[in-house]
Amino acid sequence: MTLLSPPVPSAPAATPAYEQLVETVRHEGAYPTRRQAQDAVRRVFEALGRQLTGEERVELTARLPREAARFLASQIPATTPLTGWGFVKDLAERTGTTPATTRWDTGAVLAVVARLAGDDLTARITEQLPKGYALLFGRAQLTRPS
């Protein structure tokens, strides 16, 4: 009698929507490999998950492919939000990359996120977050007169 190990479930296949997200980021960010684009997507969504809260977080998560939504939702929001520059610096420190590379990665991913989210949700997200995020999402940073 031979004992057989139960089959090991394979990792779920990525959805076509997630594959398209990664390919769009790869194209926008001019990444030479799919893996580099995928790593940027994961890192930036996790970092955004540490900053975004409330209805905007829930609504954005619902508009993302499930793999990307999991990266974002897996993070507990920070008690003290970071400015846009602070976001880039923090992510660079966490990943051991330069701020310039991290800024590039962030812009490539968040520009695609802005298109997925749409203008209204992107505006609400950038209004919720501290100064500096609009540029990361590929939007102008407008200030209201005092």
Side-chain angles (χ1 to χ4, degrees), residues 5-84:
S5 300
V8 177
S10 61
T15 62
Y18 180 71
E19 295 294 336
Q20 183 61 45
L21 170 72
V22 170
E23 283 306 311
T24 303
V25 168
R26 181 178 178 192
H27 175 75
E28 301 252 340
Y31 295 103
T33 68
R34 183 183 183 289
R35 182 69 181 165
Q36 287 174 308
Q38 194 170 18
D39 288 345
V41 166
R42 180 187 50 78
R43 289 189 308 262
V44 172
F45 274 109
E46 288 174 348
L48 186 60
R50 291 188 291 274
Q51 298 302 308
L52 194 58
T53 61
E55 289 180 34
E56 290 77 16
R57 179 185 175 108
V58 172
E59 199 171 326
L60 178 60
T61 301
R63 293 185 189 192
L64 296 173
R66 72 174 181 251
E67 297 86 348
R70 269 196 302 257
F71 296 140
L72 188 140
S74 71
Q75 301 300 303
I76 298 170
T79 55
T80 305
L82 300 170
T83 64

Side-chain angles (χ1 to χ4, degrees), residues 83-124:
T83 64
W85 175 239
F87 178 88
V88 170
K89 280 181 27 181
D90 179 66
L91 186 53
E93 289 171 7
R94 287 174 185 263
T95 59
T97 57
T98 66
T101 298
T102 302
R103 171 60 182 94
W104 182 268
D105 293 346
T106 301
V109 174
L110 293 183
V112 175
V113 169
R115 289 198 299 276
L116 284 172
D119 289 338
D120 178 59
L121 180 55
T122 300
R124 290 187 324 194

